[in-house]
Each structure stands twice: as C-alpha cells, then as structure tokens.
Amino acid sequence: MKKPKIDKTPARLDFIQSATGLILALFIMGHLLFEASILISNEMMYKVTLMFEGYYFFGERYPGIISFLAAAISAIFILHAAVAMRKMPSKYREYRIMRKHTASLHHEDSSLWMIQVLTGFAMFFLGSVHLYGMMAQPDQIGPFLSSVRVVDGHMAPLYLLLLFSVVSHAFIGMYRLALKWGFMEGKNSKKSRKIHKFLMRGFILVYLVIGSFSLAKYIEIGMTHDFSDGETYHSQTIQMESEQ
Amino acid sequence: MSEKKDGHQLRKLQVDILRFDPHDPDDFPHIETFEIEEAHGMTLFVLLNEIREHHDNSLKFDFVCRAGICGSCSMLVNGKPTLACRTLTKKLDQHITLAPLPLFELIGDLSINTGTWMRGLNERLETWIHDKEQELNVDALEERMEPDLADEIYELDRCIECGCCVAGCGTIQMRPDFVGAVGLNKIARYHLDPRDKRDNKDYYELVGDENGVFGCMTLLGCEDVCPKDLPLQSKIAYLRRMMLRTGLKG
Amino acid sequence: MKIIYTDVLIIGGGLAGLRVATGVKERGHDAVILTLVPPKRSHSAAAQGGMQASLANCAMGEGDDEDVHFADTIKGSDWGADQEVARMFTHCAPKAIRELAAWGVPWSRVDRGDHTAIINAKKVTITERDEAHGLITARDFGGTKKWRTCYTSDGTGHSMLYAMDNKAHDDKVEIHERMEAIALLHENGRCYGAIARNLMDGELVAYVSKATTIATGGYGRIYEVSTNAIICQGMGQAIALETGIATLGNMEAIQFHPTAIVPVGILTTEGCRGDGGLLLDKDGYRFMPDYEPDKKELASRDVVSRRMTEHIRKGKGVKSHYGDHLWLDITILGREHIEKNLREVKEICENFLGIDPAEEWIPVRPTQHYSMGGIRTTYRGESQTLKGLYSCGEAACWDMHGFNRLGGNSVSETVVSGMLVAEYIADFCDTPESSVNIHSSTIEKFLKIEEEKIEALLTVENGEDAYVLRRAMEKIMMEKVGIFRNGKDLQEAVDELEALYKRSKNIEVFRSKSRAANPALVNAYRTQRMLKVALTVAYGALLRTESRGAHAREDYPERDDANWLKRTITSWPDKEQTMPTVTYEEIPIGKMELPPGFRGYGKDMTLHNTESKVRQETVAAIRKKLEEGGASRFEIQNALMPFKHKLPSKYQNRNERLNEPLGEEHE
Ligand SMILES: Cc1cc2nc3c(=O)[nH]c(=O)nc-3n(C[C@H](O)[C@H](O)[C@H](O)COP(=O)(O)OP(=O)(O)OC[C@H]3O[C@@H](n4cnc5c(N)ncnc54)[C@H](O)[C@@H]3O)c2cc1C
Ligand code: HEM
Ligand code: HEM
Ligand code: SF4
Ligand code: F3S
Ligand code: FES
C-alpha cells in the first residue's frame, strides 16, 4: 500500500512550543536565582554579572555576551510566542466561550490555562521591553546599575508585573508540559498528577518570594544608596584592569 | 439498608431547569423552577421522572439504563457535566440547577443528540478493527493475546460515549472540529490493539493535526469529569508521544 | 408521505439487530436499522457477566464442548426449549465469539500458571495450561457444568455492543436513531416493513422492505421493578401482536434475577456469585447450602430466586424501608479482584448505595430480569404465521431458553441468532419470492391509521391518565404475576389488566400537546401497547397449571410433562377483543436428543410423560450401540438428532479446541 506523505508541521510545531517553553522556563528558573544573588550581597550579584560577561573565562568583560544571550533568548521567546499564539483564543468570541466555560465548570486546570494565556499575553509586552533593554544596554547591569534602572528608570512596576506573570506562566507551563507528554507518570497517573501539581504550587510560591525579595532589595538600594561617586559598583575583591 | 443512610434529612429541593423546545417557534431558552420533596436514595433519574409525572409531562430528558452504563443521561448538574441517573440528590445542595450539555444538538430541554455526534466521530476516526487482508476462520482457535494487554485495551474500551468529556473541554468548545478526549482515547485504544493493522502513519493521518492530538491543550477537564474514570490524560500523552515520533521521523 | 425503501429493515439496534445488519450487508443486501436510542446505548450494553461459548480454554473449562453446553441449556430450560435450536446455538456460539474477538472485543484471556479463585467460600489454586495462554478465558456461572462464561471484566455486553456497532459503521449499515417502529406494514399474510415515528420531530415515515426483523429486546418494564433498561417495554412484541397474524410464544416465562440491588433494581452480575460471592440472611448466615447442597449459590437463576424468596418468607430477610432483602457478600473476593473483575459492580454500589463492596455487604433481592418469551419463530427466525417477518435476540421466542435461560446464554443468543438469521434472511432476499408487492394505497392506509391514533391521543377529552394506568399495571404484574404465582392472584391480575386495557383506549395526553418530541405522547401510546403485552403474560401464566422453569405455581408445584410439554402461543386476531387468544404448540418428545428427566434441584416433582421413558430408552440404545462401534461424539449426536443440515453451510464445520484440533475432521 502506498501512503501519501504525512504533514509533519503540526507535530513539529507542538514540539517547538513545548521545547521553547521548557527552555524559557529553565532559563527563568536560573535567571531569578542569579538575580537573587543581590539578596546575599552586592558583591555576589556583581560576581554573577561578571560571570555572564565572561570575565572568569577570558579575564576580561564582554557585555556583548549578554547582548548575544539576550538576543538568543529573545529569539526563543519570539518563537515560543509565535507558536503558542496558535492556541490563544483568536477571536473575542472564542475567548468569551472559554471564559464562560471555565467560570461555570469551576475547574482548576482549565482556569490555570486561562492564567497562562493572560500572562503570556502580558509578557508579550512586558517581556519585550525588558529583553530589548538587556540587548541594547548589556553593560548596564550590576548591583547599582540595575537598581538605578529599577528605581530611576521606573522599571519596578513593570518588573513586578513581569515577575508574577513569568513565574506563574512558567511553572503552570512546566506542570502542563509534564502532563501533556506524560513525564514521570509512573504507574498511577492520578497520583503523579497530584505530585506534579504540588510541585507546581511549591515552585510558584518559592520563586515569587525570592523574586519579590530581590526586587525589593533592588528598590531599596536604588532608593537609599548614595550614588554620588558613580552608579557603577566597585568591587573590593576584584580589581579590573581598566579601572586601575 | 443501613440506618445511617436513611437518617439523611429529607429536604424540599429547588430544581432550576434550563428549558427550551426548538420545535416551538414561540419558545426561547428560559429557567423553570420546580419544588420537589426529596425521597430516600433519590437520584436525579427519580427526581426528573417525578417532575414529568406530577408537575410537567412535557419535560424532555433521556434515560436508558438508569444505572450509569449507557451514557444517555449526561447533563450539566450545577454546571458540571455528569451522568444524572447515578447522581444522588443527597450529595447535592438543596438548590440544584440542570442544563443540557453544550455543543450537542438540542432536542429539547435536557435531551440532546449525542448519538449523531458520536457516530460522526466514529466514522471520522474509523474506530473499528482494520484488518481486511486476513480472511477470518471462525472455526479455528482465536488469535492469542497477552492477558495484560487485553485488560489494558478493555480499560480504554470502557468509554460510554456520554459526551461529558466534550462538555468539560474548553478547547472543543472554542474549536468544534477538535476530536476531543473521547476521540483521542478511541485512537489510543486501537493503537494498542494488535488486531488493528493500521500503522502509526495511518493514525497520524487521523489525529496528527490541530484538530487531533496536537490540538489538545491539556486542560484536563475531560479527565476530571469522565464518569468512567478513564485515564484520558495519560492516554492522550501516550498518543502525543507516538504521533510526535511519527511526525518527526516522517 | 415519506417512504424509505430498503432490502432488510431491522427494528432494534442492540446486539441482535446489529449482527443481523452486518450479516445481510455482507451478503450484499441493503439494511436499515431503526432504533429508539443510539445503538451503543441499547440495553445489551448492560450485560455484565459474560457470554457462554464452549471454548474449553481455561483449566476449569477443560473437557467442555457443545454436548455439555447443550445439556446444560436444555436442563436449564426445564425441557421447554427447542432442542434443535439449542443444538444450532451451542454449535455456533464458539464461532460467534471468535468472530467477535476478531472484530475487537478484548475478551479476558487465560494467564498461564497458578492463580487463586474462591470456590465454595474457600481459596483454591488453579493452574492454567501453558498452551492455553492468551486464549479466551471463562468464569463460572449458574447452572453450568463447566466454566464457560467468557467475559471482558464485567463489561461484556458493553464491549460486545461497541464492537458490533463499530463493525456496522465499517459495513456502512444505515442506522436511523430515535426512530420508533409503531406498526408493521403487512398485506396478504406478508410483512413489508414498518411505520416509524421520529422521536425528535414527530414525523411518521413508512419503511418498505423485503424482510423485516424485530430485534427490540425484552419486555421487563411491564414490571414495577426490573433490572432492564427503561426502554425494554415490549414494543416489538406489541406491534407484532397488533398485526393480528404474528404470534408470541411463552410470554409467561419471565426470569427473576437473584441479585438486584435494593431498592432501584440495578443488577449486580451473576459473576459476583460465579467468582465466589455468597448470599447471606439477616443473621449473616449462608443459607443456600441448606436448600441446594450441591450447587448452592450457583444453582440456576430461577431456583436461587425462589429459594431466596422462600427464605425471606421465613422471616430471615433484612428489614428496610423498601421491604425485605438479603445480603450479597463479595468482600471475601478481596479488593484487588473486585477492582479488576467486578468494577461495574463496585461503581454501582458506590453510586447508588454509597457503599464499598470490598468492605460492606450489598443489599439484594430477586427482581424481574429477562423475557424468555417473545415473537414465536421457526428455527430460521421467521414468524410461523407472518411471512417476511423475522425476529431474534431477546425479542424472539426462537426457543433455546424454554422456561428458564442460563446466565450468559442470552448475549450469546443475540449474536448467534443474529448471525444465523441474517443468512436465512439473505437467502430469502435472494429468491424472487421476496419481491415487494404492496400497494402504495396500503402504505398510505397504514400511515393514516397511525396518524389518527396519535391525533386521538392528543384530542380526546376527559380521558384517562396514561401514567396512572401504567403504574397500576406495573403493580399488578409485580404483586400477582411474580416469582411465585397462584390461580387466585393470576385471575385477579388478568381481570384487572383487562379492565385497565379497556380504559387505555380512552387515554388522553394532558397538557403537553406537541406533535414533535413529546414524552407524554410517547408514554400514552406505549402504555396502550404494554397493557396488551402484560395481558399475554398474565393470561398465559393463569392458564399454565404447572410449574416449569421460571414459571412457579404454588397451586401446581409439579412440572407436568404429561399435559404441559408445550409452548404457549398468543395472538390478538381481532382488534376489538380485549383478551389475547391462546393456543398451544406441542414439544415433541419423540425427536429429543435429551428426553425430559429430573433437573436436579430439590426433590423430583415431575409428573412424567410416558413417552419420555420410551425416548430415554431409544436414546440410550442408540448411544450404546454407536459407542461400542467406536463412533465419535459427533456421529452419536448426529444419529440422535441431526441438525447440521439446518445451518447455513458456512457455519456447519466443527469448532477447533485445544484438545480437538481441526485436522481430525478428515479422518
Ligand atoms: C442488567 C442485565 C445484565 C445482563 N447480563 C447478561 C449477561 O451477563 N449475560 C447474558 O448472556 N445476558 C445478560 N443479560 C441479558 C442480555 O443483555 C439481553 O438479553 C440482550 O442484550 C438483549 O439483546 P437484544 O439485541 O435482543 O436487545 P436490546 O439490546 O435490548 O436491544 C433492543 C433494541 O431495540 C430498539 N427498539 C426497541 N423498541 C423499538 C421500537 N419500537 N422501534 C425501534 N427500535 C426499538 C432499542 O432501541 C434497542 O436498540 C443481561 C440483562 C440485564 C438486564
Ligand atoms: C510572549 C510571551 C509568551 C506568550 C504569548 C506565551 C504563550 C503561551 C501559551 C498560550 C501557552 C499555552 C500553549 C498550550 O496550552 O498549548 C504557553 C505555554 C508555555 N509557555 Fe509560554 N508564552 C510566552 C512566554 C513564555 C515564557 C517567557 C516562558 C518561560 C518562562 C514560557 C513558558 C511556557 C511553557 C513551559 C509552556 C508549556 C508548553 C506547552 O504547553 O507545550 N512562555 N505559552
Ligand atoms: C538573556 C536575557 C535576559 C537578561 C540578560 C536579563 C537580565 C536581567 C537583569 C539584569 C535583571 C535585573 C534588573 C535590571 O537590571 O533591570 C532582570 C530582572 C528581571 N528579569 Fe530579566 N533578563 C533576561 C531575560 C528575561 C526574560 C526572558 C524574562 C521573562 C519574560 C525576564 C524577567 C525578569 C524579571 C521578572 C526581572 C525582575 C526580577 C526580580 O523581581 O527580582 N528576564 N533581568
Ligand atoms: S471518555 Fe469518559 S467522559 Fe468521554 S465520552 Fe467516554 S466515558 Fe464519557
Ligand atoms: S479537556 Fe480538552 S484540551 Fe485536552 S486534556 Fe482534555 S481534551
Ligand atoms: S441512563 Fe444510562 S448512564 Fe444514565
């Protein structure tokens, strides 16, 4: 029997959507932890920044790396958004049906999906702004520079919204990812789903706490620190050649 | 019967029913409220028949087996799709709302035409054993099958086509061409079955697109409302993996 | 006027109807199925326990064959069955099940090695043969010598029905759902189809066909409490009766199932007892061994039901709001077994009783369950009196069940009779005799009559309330035509039912006047017809002054082979008569392979027919002679009662078994 060739696109798109989502989610898990280094000390945050700038590998700072990273993430971000857009209610009518459906069904997982759609939609704007900033000014990162941006650059409200969006979106997404593909399902899928959901809730909570504290710290620094001798942070332990 | 069950406080139930007769040009969807004395061990089957027999004999609804096995009586009970015949009133509040399942053609009041819909689905997905090559000899020993596999197939074969999963799925509400969990479960069932000689590519043709397994957004309403407790999430995931593999290999 | 032409019209989309449809379709004839509900929702879906077929795969089924199955069936029927038909049936049951296996039913399979089972309240280890691994297994059911009831967990009927319906899709059978046949079209003693009413919009449609098959299932809903689906209202039997020509057989033979839950009457399968469950009384005492020391809980259904009723009458029942009941204890089977093999039972207990059957006992009592009677047919499934009208499945009295059917023989009958009758119908359709010679004016006349009936129901004033009549009928049947019957009650029942029937001619549909979907209208015309069916049951029971199988007369406790070895035949030749006409059809002993004997329950109360002894001796002599000559069981059987020539040739071959390979046939 000769069979006509199958159309591979739907499989690929679904895979891309999940893969990009997963990469972004893992990225964010790391990102927010690195960001939280500010909670340990300014010095720590500074070291992390240096690390990303390749200082520990090349002995020199290349903010371009960050630019490159941001560009790469942006690409994934855009790809993910573009692919995931297929799933967003495309017409207002669809959105209304879905709203009505979730409201009358009182069904948690359907509501979670609604949250994902709304947060995705929000990030479309919030995330883009942030990413653009990171691409354009990769050298403007550090305990002080960042704090200045957060406070004087009026980024704090945006970050707060972005934080809530991205954390819920990412972990709901990971939960959905696990169930969608049957990761670590085990013998009893009802039980493993419960575990997945528990983990999802836990991660959201932990990350919201960490993120909020870091943001608070940036704000605190931005509001209280005396930037009269420049906005760049001067490390006590690491001496840059250029600064000498 | 144990006394504690009968000790349940009987109430006067307030039952709101969404009514509409599409055959009556003057009618429009409206809520009608009935007050019914609760009885011991009362199910919605008993309750609705009580209404029909003593309050309004034009009330339309469907029951066949009244035992939770034929899938005729699915409706929205307080917004949730479920089988009415096996819903005990004592598990519900004193105020009950009943409405027909959305998406299916309305015959009248709570009666919907799930049959035609399911038939269309079965035809679309060709939910029967495909094995034309082999001439069946009914005299000879039957083909062997691993006992565990037989059990596994039966597990998925238990679907009663009640349509609850369809009503519980937001995706299909938005995009009526989506096959829904009921359809995906059926494909998973035939995929498991060695008697069906279709290969992955054949199945991909049927469900390898946005109306099939890649259209499912893992909302899990299906899994949570299925009255037969079918492992829908797990089987859709299984099918998705199969179809992805097929799709990537080409 | 809407007329639809087809070769074969099939009324009923249950197992029997679907099997006929695919059968005639494969022979190249068009088929249309009419059904009240989508086929997959037919009552057949409710069969839990299993299907009998003598495959002899599992260890406890070893040594089983057609002969054993045949003997069980005839004894079960209390010698009321047509033995040739029972032979045809037992011969074809393995074929039917193998066919279903190929069409997708996931039959539970034999698993090699040891497993434990509960037999007679004790744990036993059973060892399955290696060579049987992966073949279809079976469980124990009442009234059988061997474990012969094949199953898929406890959703056997469901799986079978789904496989059949899917097969019908594959075969492109046309299925018209929510179309109710309300009258048969006939002219000059020949049936040409039916008038049907669309239950969604009320339209009347004439279906004209060469052959018409009624596969509408049983009529349990004439009783107040029944395990049957609520659409099992006997409409097939009623419209056949209303032709005035077709006849019904053994309508009084009604089976009561021992274990339906109280109060709703939903069945818990015989598999519960088959797998080792016990019946207990109010003291938690296992009483069945006292009555039936041999078969205990697994005696034939009619026997167990009567013993339970007797025991309740002795005051041993458990009192409840809804009358007395007994307990079914399956806790001893263990949770794992229940969750795997008795899932539906578990769900039913949880949903309708709020109990966990792995922990608690289930309240049960005997409840109306099966209609052995139905449209009387020849072995070809054709009405004996109305040409072109066929019937099979529970709707028919083909007559392999006689006065009591064995558990698991019914779904088996649906597919076997469906498969055979389809061939006979196709044969008929292949002959010129089958051409349709009905005047269109006759069709019009039939349509008009039905229209007028409906019109009358909607326009009569000061008429009767159909619900009131129906509830009264249900109560009479329940109280006076139940498990134990007696002349006085039956006479009252007949009189009261006749009075109700007369009143039913003046039914008015109150308030709800729609001609489209209108439940009140449906109830009105069905009630009229159900009353006719109820009358055939009650009247047949009144006249039959003996006890046979499920028909137990307290005033005539003996089985009376001398006078009553015959079938009750009911008809309704004149529209104006208010009682059915009853005649009888002899069951000739002279041709029996298994002459009447003692059924083996309680003490022998049979009033024997002198002919039985003669035939027994003849049979014994033939058997002895042939056995000495080294004849095979097939040759002996053939000498006693040849039947194979009656089967369609493609179903005449022998059945393969592990111990009976097909090769031997040519020796
Ligand atoms: C609870 C329960 C459990 C059972 N378990 C077993 C078991 O384990 N083993 C066993 O062997 N048997 C069992 N039986 C018996 C068995 O299920 C039935 O006898 C058998 O399924 C009947 O099948 P059928 O095809 O003849 O009729 P049904 O399945 O009853 O189908 C009747 C069809 O006729 C249609 N119909 C009816 N009237 C009309 C009309 N006027 N116009 C158009 N269509 C009409 C209906 O829509 C339906 O499609 C059980 C029965 C019950 C009640
Ligand atoms: C423009 C921004 C974004 C939009 C519009 C968007 C939109 C969506 C939508 C609609 C879904 C649901 C798809 C479905 O249910 O099938 C989704 C899934 C997902 N998103 Fe996003 N998203 C965005 C950004 C992100 C980011 C930044 C992350 C990571 C932190 C992320 C992680 C995920 C994950 C893990 C999934 C689950 C993947 C899957 O279901 O296949 N998304 N996204
Ligand atoms: C490679 C790309 C990225 C880089 C280099 C980067 C870098 C940073 C930096 C340096 C900060 C600190 C504040 C500041 O300096 O302005 C920050 C904060 C933040 N970023 Fe990013 N980011 C990247 C991508 C993203 C993406 C894709 C998201 C989500 C869509 C995101 C969400 C956030 C949030 C929510 C905060 C606030 C953190 C907090 O609350 O503690 N970032 N990011
Ligand atoms: S999958 Fe479950 S909910 Fe869906 S139709 Fe089947 S039984 Fe009903
Ligand atoms: S609810 Fe719908 S989206 Fe998928 S998981 Fe179930 S089919
Ligand atoms: S009536 Fe059959 S499932 Fe409810």
Side-chain angles (χ1 to χ4, degrees), chain A:
Chain A
M1 255 201 300
K2 243 184 92 83
K3 301 207 176 94
K5 264 215 144 24
I6 54 176
D7 178 7
K8 301 175 192 172
T9 325
R12 286 183 178 158
L13 288 181
D14 202 39
F15 179 71
I16 293 173
Q17 177 188 322
S18 291
T20 51
L22 181 65
I23 296 172
L24 288 172
L26 292 174
F27 169 79
I28 288 296
M29 287 173 80
H31 175 338
L32 292 181
L33 287 183
F34 292 132
E35 225 48 72
S37 55
I38 194 77
L39 292 175
I40 299 175
S41 66
N42 291 352
E43 184 68 18
M44 197 65 203
M45 153 75 185
Y46 182 66
K47 285 182 179 164
V48 170
T49 312
L50 287 184
M51 180 182 83
F52 278 99
E53 290 175 345
Y55 176 79
Y56 296 111
F57 305 96
F58 311 114
E60 236 179 297
R61 298 177 65 170
Y62 293 105
I65 295 180
I66 295 200
S67 254
F68 177 78
L69 193 64
I73 290 295
S74 299
I76 297 174
F77 182 84
I78 290 166
L79 185 60
H80 173 79
V83 177
M85 278 301 231
R86 297 171 307 144
K87 305 285 170 183
M88 312 262 279
S90 58
K91 300 183 204 76
Y92 181 63
R93 195 190 65 88
E94 286 186 359
Y95 173 75
R96 253 208 5 233
I97 293 176
M98 191 65 196
R99 271 290 296 273
K100 216 179 115 213
H101 171 78
T102 35
S104 76
L105 195 64
H106 302 296
H107 180 249
E108 188 185 357
D109 287 53
S110 301
S111 310
L112 288 178
W113 185 83
M114 277 308 263
I115 294 178
Q116 234 192 342
V117 166
L118 293 174
T119 52
F121 189 68
M123 279 192 289
F124 196 75
F125 304 100
L126 305 174
S128 308
V129 171
H130 174 53
L131 275 166
Y132 181 75
M134 291 303 130
M135 258 186 302
Q137 301 174 303
D139 50 351
Q140 305 283 307
I141 298 173
F144 292 167
L145 285 166
S146 293
S147 301
V148 169
R149 181 166 41 246
V150 168
V151 176
D152 298 333
H154 304 295
M155 290 296 269
L158 184 136
Y159 280 154
L160 192 65
L161 284 176
L162 187 58
L163 175 71
F164 273 86
S165 300
V166 78
V167 168
S168 42
H169 186 96
F171 291 111
I172 295 174
M174 300 258 272
Y175 164 74
R176 175 160 285 127
L177 216 51
L179 293 164
K180 178 172 172 180
W181 297 100
F183 288 148
M184 299 188 292
E185 191 175 278
K187 270 225 153 335
N188 184 343
S189 61
K190 315 250 166 202
K191 208 165 116 198
S192 57
R193 176 169 166 209
K194 276 211 182 89
I195 297 174
H196 284 308
K197 194 170 249 173
F198 176 79
L199 288 176
M200 170 192 87
R201 290 200 178 116
F203 273 107
I204 291 182
L205 193 71
V206 168
Y207 269 87
L208 280 181
V209 169
I210 293 180
S212 308
F213 274 104
S214 336
L215 193 58
K217 187 72 190 279
Y218 286 117
I219 294 175
E220 188 206 295
I221 297 171
M223 307 256 284
T224 57
H225 187 78
D226 175 11
F227 292 107
S228 49
D229 53 346
E231 292 172 358
T232 3
Y233 176 75
H234 292 284
S235 171
Q236 275 86 53
T237 55
I238 301 170
Q239 296 298 312
M240 297 287 162
E241 284 156 40
S242 55
E243 286 164 19
Q244 282 172 347

Side-chain angles (χ1 to χ4, degrees), chain C residues 314-580:
Chain C
K314 284 184 189 159
K316 296 289 187 184
V318 186
K319 300 258 175 290
S320 86
H321 261 288
Y322 307 96
D324 295 357
H325 65 77
L326 294 160
W327 298 112
L328 171 64
D329 173 14
I330 59 170
T331 58
I332 51 169
L333 306 183
R335 180 171 298 278
E336 197 193 337
H337 181 93
I338 293 172
E339 283 176 1
K340 177 154 172 269
N341 289 314
L342 298 169
R343 285 177 68 149
E344 302 294 336
V345 172
K346 181 158 182 278
E347 272 185 27
I348 286 168
C349 288
E350 282 166 356
N351 290 315
F352 294 92
L353 298 169
I355 64 165
D356 174 0
E359 306 271 337
E360 287 167 84
W361 297 343
I362 310 168
V364 294
R365 81 175 150 222
T367 302
Q368 192 290 333
H369 180 58
Y370 186 79
S371 324
M372 271 77 71
I375 297 162
R376 180 67 188 130
T377 70
T378 64
Y379 75 89
R380 302 167 75 88
E382 189 173 21
S383 159
Q384 293 178 330
T385 44
L386 183 57
K387 193 133 191 63
L389 176 67
Y390 291 78
S391 179
C392 63
E394 192 173 343
C397 176
W398 188 33
D399 203 10
M400 55 164 280
H401 300 306
F403 274 76
N404 174 56
R405 76 138 173 138
L406 296 183
N409 255 356
S410 171
V411 286
S412 199
E413 176 191 19
T414 61
V415 281
V416 170
S417 65
M419 127 183 160
L420 295 177
V421 171
E423 295 300 318
Y424 300 130
I425 291 177
D427 291 346
F428 171 67
C429 288
D430 285 341
T431 63
E433 217 192 330
S434 69
S435 61
V436 174
N437 292 315
I438 185 168
H439 291 97
S440 59
S441 62
T442 315
I443 304 175
E444 243 166 87
K445 190 187 81 193
F446 271 95
L447 270 169
K448 201 151 174 66
I449 294 175
E450 294 312 312
E451 249 161 42
E452 279 164 6
K453 280 192 204 160
I454 288 172
E455 211 47 42
L457 289 169
L458 292 170
T459 47
V460 164
E461 277 173 26
N462 299 323
E464 299 277 352
D465 183 342
Y467 284 111
V468 172
L469 300 185
R470 185 161 154 202
R471 297 289 170 246
M473 167 194 74
E474 290 172 350
K475 237 185 149 59
I476 295 168
M477 294 305 290
M478 199 71 190
E479 285 164 8
K480 298 178 176 163
V481 199
I483 299 184
F484 284 106
R485 304 168 172 180
N486 63 66
K488 180 175 152 288
D489 282 351
L490 286 170
Q491 186 63 56
E492 279 174 23
V494 170
D495 293 344
E496 289 167 22
L497 287 170
E498 189 184 9
L500 288 177
Y501 174 67
K502 288 178 183 157
R503 284 169 63 190
S504 77
K505 295 190 169 191
N506 190 33
I507 286 180
E508 173 192 354
V509 179
F510 299 102
R511 295 181 296 270
S512 173
K513 301 290 187 189
S514 167
R515 273 160 190 77
N518 181 349
L521 175 62
V522 170
N523 182 54
Y525 61 70
R526 287 197 193 156
T527 299
Q528 290 176 329
R529 298 199 168 104
M530 285 169 88
L531 275 163
K532 282 190 183 162
V533 174
L535 266 171
T536 62
V537 176
Y539 195 39
L542 172 65
L543 297 182
R544 184 173 283 274
T545 49
E546 66 153 354
S547 292
R548 183 181 297 277
H551 173 70
R553 287 279 300 252
E554 288 162 310
D555 40 358
Y556 298 93
E558 313 80 12
R559 185 180 97 204
D560 184 355
D561 284 353
N563 296 304
W564 282 104
L565 204 55
K566 48 192 177 191
R567 241 163 243 131
T568 310
I569 302 293
T570 348
S571 61
W572 206 288
D574 182 356
K575 274 194 184 53
E576 298 309 317
Q577 68 192 61
T578 53
M579 285 288 288

Side-chain angles (χ1 to χ4, degrees), chain B residues 1-7 21 23 39-43 45-46 49 51-74 84-88 90-91 105 107-108 111-120 122-123 127-132 136-151 153-163 186 189-190 193 195 227-230, chain C residues 37-38 40-42 45-46 48 55 57 94-95 98-111 130-136 152-155 158-159 162 165-167 169-170 173 175 177-178 199-201 221 226-231 262-266 318-322 325 327 340 343-344 347-348 350-355 360 363 467 471 509-512 514 516-520 650-651 653-658 662:
Chain B
M1 187 146 307
S2 73
E3 264 51 55
K4 67 174 184 298
K5 266 192 291 296
D6 292 342
D21 183 354
H23 288 285
H40 287 291
M42 189 181 231
T43 58
F45 165 72
V46 176
N49 276 297
I51 295 181
R52 188 189 269 176
E53 212 170 314
H54 300 294
H55 299 261
D56 186 340
N57 59 358
S58 68
L59 183 64
K60 293 174 253 311
F61 48 76
D62 293 314
F63 288 99
V64 177
C65 70
R66 61 84 180 83
I69 39 189
C70 76
S72 303
C73 62
S74 35
C85 67
R86 66 174 212 190
T87 304
L88 291 164
K90 73 172 176 210
K91 293 192 178 158
E105 179 200 347
I107 293 170
S111 169
I112 46 165
N113 191 350
T114 46
T116 310
W117 195 94
M118 290 296 170
R119 173 156 251 261
N122 283 314
E123 272 162 9
T127 53
W128 50 82
I129 299 283
H130 287 58
D131 186 9
K132 290 284 174 221
L136 173 66
N137 177 1
V138 291
D139 305 325
L141 285 189
E142 63 276 12
E143 221 175 280
R144 287 165 204 268
M145 186 187 275
E146 275 306 308
D148 289 343
L149 179 59
D151 291 346
I153 295 172
Y154 172 68
E155 181 69 23
L156 307 189
D157 212 37
R158 291 173 66 244
C159 167
I160 55 174
E161 297 193 354
C162 63
K186 279 173 192 287
R189 180 233 176 278
Y190 284 94
D193 197 327
R195 294 168 294 195
K228 289 282 130 177
D229 258 330
L230 294 183
Chain C
V37 296
K40 285 181 171 129
R41 312 221 188 286
S42 295
Q48 303 169 345
L55 297 179
N57 290 328
K95 302 183 197 303
R98 284 167 176 166
E99 194 176 69
L100 285 165
W103 291 346
V105 177
W107 297 107
S108 295
R109 303 287 169 147
V110 179
D111 201 353
D130 270 352
E131 66 267 31
H133 184 76
L135 294 173
I136 298 171
T152 51
S153 180
D154 62 353
H158 168 91
S159 292
Y162 271 53
D165 188 44
N166 291 335
K167 172 78 180 144
H169 286 289
D170 184 10
V173 173
I175 299 180
E177 290 170 7
R178 296 188 191 251
L199 293 171
M200 294 186 281
D201 62 16
R221 282 289 156 182
S226 163
T227 63
N228 288 191
I230 58 173
I231 56 167
V262 179
V264 278
I266 295 170
V318 186
K319 300 258 175 290
S320 86
H321 261 288
Y322 307 96
H325 65 77
W327 298 112
K340 177 154 172 269
R343 285 177 68 149
E344 302 294 336
E347 272 185 27
I348 286 168
E350 282 166 356
N351 290 315
F352 294 92
L353 298 169
I355 64 165
E360 287 167 84
Y467 284 111
R471 297 289 170 246
V509 179
F510 299 102
R511 295 181 296 270
S512 173
S514 167
N518 181 349
K650 69 184 205 197
Y651 295 130
N653 298 338
R654 275 175 43 187
N655 297 308
E656 186 177 19
R657 290 191 182 77
L658 282 174
L662 275 183

